[in-house]
Amino acid sequence: MKRWITLACGVVLVLVGATWVLQGVGVLTGSFMTGQKLWFLIGLIAFLVGVVLIAATAFKKRVR
């Protein structure tokens, strides 16, 4: 059960992080985050943490 929670958190972080990165560089418009370097950096960190969580879940050996 814990693997699913970790995987779900990783997927959410990847999606949210990617959105924030795109807003930070100005690709997605219409928000106070558009064109802000801070949101690019926060999004990049969230994206990378999500990738690490997904990779850790995928490569973790099952223990029963």
Side-chain angles (χ1 to χ4, degrees):
M1 185 70 163
K2 185 179 176 187
R3 287 181 62 151
W4 290 106
I5 294 171
T6 306
L7 181 63
C9 288
V11 169
V12 168
L13 280 171
V14 165
L15 294 174
V16 170
T19 301
W20 287 346
V21 165
L22 292 175
Q23 286 179 329
V25 296
V27 174
L28 295 177
T29 59
S31 171
F32 68 93
M33 295 184 266
T34 302
Q36 299 293 320
K37 186 177 179 180
L38 175 65
W39 288 105
F40 169 76
L41 295 174
I42 292 171
L44 186 61
I45 291 169
F47 182 84
L48 293 175
V49 169
V51 168
V52 168
L53 286 176
I54 291 171
T57 304
F59 293 117
K60 189 175 183 181
K61 292 182 181 179
R62 285 194 163 174
V63 178
R64 290 190 179 222

